Amino acid sequence: MAAYSKKEEGLSSYYNNKTTVIQEARVFNESPISPRKCRALLTRIVYLLYIGETFGTQEATNLFFGTTKLFQHKDSALRQMVYLTIKELAVSAEDVIMVTSSIMKDMQPNSEVIYRPNAIRALCRIIDPSMVQGVERFFKAAIVDRTPSISSAALVSSYHLFPFAKDVVKRWVNEAQEAVSAKASTSFFGASSAGSYLGFGSSSAASSGYQPMPSTSYIAQYHALGLLYLIRRQDRMAVTKMIQQLGGGKTGSGTVLKNPMALCMLIRYAAKVVEEDPNIQKQMFDLLEGWLRHKSDMVNFEAARAICEMKNVTSAQLTRSIAVLQLFLSSPKSTLKFAATRTLAGLALTQPASVATCNVDLENLISDSNRSVATYAITTLLKTGNEASVDRLMKQITGFMSEISDEFKVIIVDAIRSLCLKFPTKHASMLGFLSGVLRDEGGYDFKRAVVEAIFDMIKYIGDSKEQALSYLCEFIEDCEFTKLSVRILHLLGIEGPKAPQPSKYIRFIYNRVVLENATVRAAAVASLAKFGIIDDVKLQKSIGVLLNRCLDDVDDEVRDRAALYLKVIREPRLADKLVKDDSVFSLSALESKLVAYVRDADAADQPFDVSSVPKISREQAAQEVARPSSLDTIGAPAARNATPVPPPQTAEETQSAFIQQLSQVPELASYGAVINSSKPAQLTENETEYQVSCIKHVFREHIVFQFNVSNTMPDTVLEQVSVIMQPSADSGLTEDFIIPVPSLSPANSPGIVYVSFTRDAPGEYPTASFQCVLKFISKEVDPATGEPEEEGYEDEYQLEEVELAAGGDYIIPSYSNFSPEWDRLRTGATMTETFTLSSMESIKAACDSIVEILNMEPLGGSQNPVSGTTVHTLQLSGLLTGGGGKVLARCRMTFSRGEGVTLEIGVRGEKQEACQLVVTAIGG
């Protein structure tokens, strides 16, 4: 049997060989033509093209024109194969346009219907874009033909011609509209222009004796709708009108569309329109709800999914669509169950309470024979379940983890990771589950997902830290993935020294030095060194012995690291700088400061002040360059718009843009370098006719307010646009000048108004609030000439107040190691104040408010207090601009229900002004 299979395989490879096919092409020149032989050879040619075989230009041309000789034979099956082959060879052959006349003969209305669709499709590939206008009459007639196969062929061909002949194809919109609205093509008892089974038939069926069967699929509507949208997609109003006309009203019963795929396409167009223009969401929502009652499951699901993926959809609006999906959960069809569970899993990310009504049905699907359905059911339950159901779900998941693929395992682990953070008191059962699956067989992506989940538990759930570290230690004993071993060793080096018994982790780490490859050994040496710098003489001595053994390692990287860390352990000063210090300069901020330093001619006499550059943690630096994790996107609904969105500018990139912009204003040239620029603050509502935002630029002796003003009224021009600012009393600022915008229209918006103030005492940091009024001369635009009228009138527009505050204007975030820096600043400026924050409803709300007011960097995750705690300490670090140096704040808080939060803030800084500024900002 095996010998027979090998013989058959060898014969097949010879039979379908390109060289053999080209040699046998002489069969096209035989007389008389043998339809059977020619069909067989054409089939082999098409087969070779479909499996990726390529023919040279000359080979393709010879085959192409050899095939065209078969037009003289009337065999219908042969003619169909001829067209199929011509269509595929036309891409690589030359002079294919010469066969146009032969194809045009089969496009005539009096030809056999079975020929016309093939001829139309082939002609689409043959003709040059400049010839489309010449065949316009044929295509128009074919689009409205009552035979579905002909109409569909013409519509699909038009779709493919559109990119090359837009203007011509756009003229066929009326015919496409007629094809969308077409009635049933024929009856069961014959008609003179009927459609046949599989689209074959004849417009002269009565004379030829051909009896067609009716087409009930209405597939031409699907193709016609696609062409209509392609023609109108640049005109949103036209697309909206088309959807409303074809939608069939609120119930959907009045639609002319009979093809379910056409209705699904229409629903997708409606969803796209809502995404682009939220103002018509109500109209489209009514249409989508009407389609929920359609007789086709396909249409019901598409409408339900579109509603579930709408932005800002309410729970009440989701009720009917969730009810439809809930019915699908009990369907005998696996495809419907899979589609429903997948959609509900995506919706559970944003609307878990609404999806919770399906929990009973979803629990029944956990034991479904289709494990993909069961996986999505479990994932959804993990997102919607309550704390009481966690243990039960964990037991059910454990049963089928071995039966599903790694892809679905990752989805489940990600859902459990989210559940850990949602119900931290249940961390024990979830950590036990994760440690169990970590021992199972699986690929890198699956194991990485489990390790990431355990990392998150260590970071956000303090009670789980010790047990989680123990599970990770067990895992690296038998871990086959180098990357994961290195990451776990790095984490052990960070968290292990902080544990109550750090020595118990050393054995697991040193085992890696003995048993693993060079990369893991180097990571283990670095991790061991971090245990050697803690204040434990006995432990330091043990680590020294272990590192000395590593000096004889065969790998130079391991030896070098061991030598370095032995030196570091003996000298505490080096340990503080090289191991304990977790901060690095923000590269983008450093670049911005260096660019400003190089451009400022006066700054060349002074060395670059590196202390003014803010620092960030190594973790933040890694996040800036890291790609998004796959775990952050799993389970989320796919975006319809695949257009890549450029990443937003960082604060430093924005600062560089401001510096370049200000350097082009002559009046500000003498002010020197910009010390800091704030984020834009909106002073008007988005819907108003005038839109204004403010940016504050701090110089050494001046403060400049930049107002970006936009005029959204097309029939009005604003002239002499300025902003009048009235500072509060004793602000310490004196107004210098205003640079107005001479003329402002929608075409040149936004315009920039500058208002400059001098700091009365440059060494101080004034804070103030400013009342702002936008003043201008309003002139109407003459519709005939497009020019503004001579006469106008003065007008003004009240803006929101502008605040010059400590956070964001003078203090910028900067990372540091809090404990050593706090001790270092003990001899510097110090202030301590106590405040009562009676309006705060929790410690978390107080932390968020303080971080926002001071604009300082929260350290060590102290901005995320344990849920329900009544005592907490928030640690903050920042830099005071203009050479003010580092400033640290320690905020001790207690919470009492009914009385709010009591805050004791201690501030240490290099200058007294920095401490005073922080305390004043909190005191208001």
Side-chain angles (χ1 to χ4, degrees), residues 400-685:
F400 72 90
M401 281 295 283
S402 59
E403 302 174 21
I404 58 177
S405 65
D406 278 8
E407 182 184 357
F408 286 114
K409 286 180 182 177
V410 170
I411 293 174
I412 288 180
V413 169
D414 180 52
I416 291 173
R417 184 175 74 160
S418 303
L419 199 67
C420 292
L421 307 181
K422 186 177 179 183
F423 304 121
T425 57
K426 292 292 183 181
H427 70 268
S429 62
M430 288 182 272
L431 190 56
F433 169 80
L434 291 173
S435 68
V437 297
L438 207 51
R439 300 187 198 101
D440 296 343
E441 292 295 323
Y444 171 74
D445 288 332
F446 168 53
K447 293 296 177 74
R448 181 178 68 88
V450 179
V451 170
E452 291 276 4
I454 296 177
F455 279 13
D456 275 0
M457 294 181 75
I458 292 171
K459 184 176 181 181
Y460 297 110
I461 307 173
D463 295 340
S464 69
K465 185 177 294 185
E466 193 167 350
Q467 189 64 48
L469 289 175
S470 299
Y471 286 141
L472 291 176
C473 286
E474 292 175 13
F475 173 62
I476 59 173
E477 289 287 310
D478 191 30
C479 178
E480 58 185 309
F481 304 109
T482 299
K483 285 184 179 180
L484 291 182
S485 295
V486 169
R487 289 196 62 193
I488 293 170
L489 287 168
H490 176 71
L491 182 74
L492 288 172
I494 295 172
E495 299 294 342
K498 302 175 188 175
Q501 295 179 321
S503 57
K504 71 178 183 180
Y505 302 111
I506 293 174
R507 174 174 64 86
F508 296 99
I509 298 172
Y510 187 68
N511 282 348
R512 309 280 62 74
V513 176
V514 178
L515 302 171
E516 292 286 357
N517 59 50
T519 305
V520 178
R521 294 202 304 273
V525 168
S527 184
L528 279 174
K530 292 175 183 176
F531 286 84
I533 60 174
I534 61 179
D535 297 328
D536 186 334
V537 177
K538 184 179 178 181
L539 190 61
Q540 284 182 357
K541 187 177 179 181
S542 301
I543 296 296
V545 172
L546 296 177
L547 290 178
N548 268 308
R549 292 178 185 173
C550 298
L551 293 175
D552 297 326
D553 196 276
V554 295
D555 186 77
D556 57 345
E557 174 71 17
V558 178
R559 294 195 305 271
D560 292 347
R561 287 196 185 193
L564 169 67
Y565 288 123
L566 280 169
K567 178 78 172 175
V568 165
I569 290 173
R570 296 188 189 109
E571 298 189 23
R573 181 180 57 83
L574 286 176
D576 291 340
K577 186 175 182 180
L578 299 178
V579 180
K580 291 182 180 179
D581 188 6
D582 190 39
S583 62
V584 294
F585 287 114
S586 169
L587 293 181
S588 51
L590 179 62
E591 180 189 14
S592 174
K593 296 285 184 183
L594 286 171
V595 169
Y597 177 77
V598 170
R599 287 179 176 171
D600 187 2
D602 298 333
D605 300 333
Q606 300 293 330
F608 178 71
D609 182 15
V610 74
S611 64
S612 65
V613 180
K615 289 187 174 183
I616 57 176
S617 67
R618 295 183 188 277
E619 184 180 358
Q620 289 173 312
Q623 287 174 352
E624 285 186 2
V625 298
R627 294 173 294 179
S629 168
S630 60
L631 296 176
D632 297 333
T633 56
I634 285 174
R640 290 190 186 89
N641 188 2
T643 305
V645 179
Q649 284 189 326
T650 64
E652 286 72 28
E653 289 171 338
T654 306
Q655 181 100 350
S656 297
F658 289 150
I659 291 171
Q660 188 168 2
Q661 200 173 45
L662 292 169
S663 66
Q664 298 171 359
V665 182
E667 291 88 345
L668 308 179
S670 61
Y671 284 11
V674 181
I675 296 173
N676 187 41
S677 295
S678 70
K679 296 177 181 178
Q682 202 69 26
L683 304 184
T684 58
E685 298 291 336

Side-chain angles (χ1 to χ4, degrees), residues 691-850:
Q691 296 177 7
V692 183
S693 62
C694 177
I695 302 155
K696 292 158 280 185
H697 305 288
V698 179
F699 294 82
R700 189 166 297 279
E701 297 181 0
H702 300 83
I703 293 178
V704 175
F705 296 85
Q706 173 184 329
F707 294 92
N708 298 328
V709 186
S710 295
N711 173 19
T712 63
M713 301 177 67
D715 55 350
T716 304
V717 170
L718 309 182
E719 294 186 352
Q720 297 303 314
V721 182
S722 61
V723 177
I724 308 301
M725 301 183 70
Q726 184 63 43
S728 55
D730 301 326
S731 63
L733 298 169
T734 303
E735 185 175 316
D736 298 324
F737 54 80
I738 301 173
I739 304 177
V741 177
S743 179
L744 187 65
S745 66
N748 64 354
S749 291
I752 299 177
V753 176
Y754 292 103
V755 183
S756 173
F757 285 83
T758 296
R759 297 164 67 173
D760 297 341
E764 296 179 359
Y765 297 88
T767 58
S769 60
F770 298 79
Q771 294 182 353
C772 302
V773 177
L774 180 68
K775 299 196 73 172
F776 51 86
I777 298 173
S778 180
K779 293 185 177 181
E780 298 291 329
V781 175
D782 188 346
T785 62
E787 296 295 326
E789 296 178 353
E790 292 292 332
E791 297 296 326
Y793 60 91
E794 292 189 4
D795 199 358
E796 61 182 43
Y797 190 85
Q798 186 69 40
L799 305 175
E800 292 184 12
E801 286 191 357
V802 173
E803 295 286 340
L804 187 63
D809 294 328
Y810 300 124
I811 299 175
I812 57 176
S814 179
Y815 182 85
S816 63
N817 290 317
F818 189 83
S819 297
E821 281 296 317
W822 184 258
D823 293 339
R824 184 180 69 82
L825 294 173
R826 184 188 298 112
T827 57
T830 304
M831 285 188 74
T832 304
E833 289 286 346
T834 302
F835 300 94
T836 301
L837 310 178
S838 55
S839 61
M840 296 297 165
E841 298 180 353
S842 66
I843 294 283
K844 178 70 168 97
C847 289
D848 293 342
S849 180
I850 292 168

Side-chain angles (χ1 to χ4, degrees), residues 234-295:
Q234 301 299 332
D235 186 351
R236 189 189 301 160
M237 291 300 294
V239 172
T240 305
K241 186 178 179 182
M242 178 186 77
I243 294 168
Q244 290 172 337
Q245 285 176 344
L246 299 175
K250 286 189 176 182
T251 62
S253 58
T255 180
V256 297
L257 297 178
K258 301 292 189 293
N259 182 270
M261 288 190 290
L263 277 168
C264 289
M265 186 71 76
L266 193 67
I267 291 169
R268 292 187 182 183
Y269 294 154
K272 186 175 178 63
V273 167
V274 170
E275 189 178 0
E276 294 172 352
D277 185 8
N279 295 325
I280 62 169
Q281 179 168 338
K282 179 67 173 67
Q283 305 168 35
M284 293 295 134
F285 181 80
D286 291 340
L287 285 174
L288 292 172
E289 273 211 329
W291 286 319
L292 289 174
R293 294 182 287 273
H294 196 271
K295 61 184 179 181

Side-chain angles (χ1 to χ4, degrees), residues 26-34 72:
R26 58 179 178 270
V27 73
F28 298 147
N29 300 320
E30 290 181 358
S31 183
I33 292 172
S34 170
Q72 57 188 303

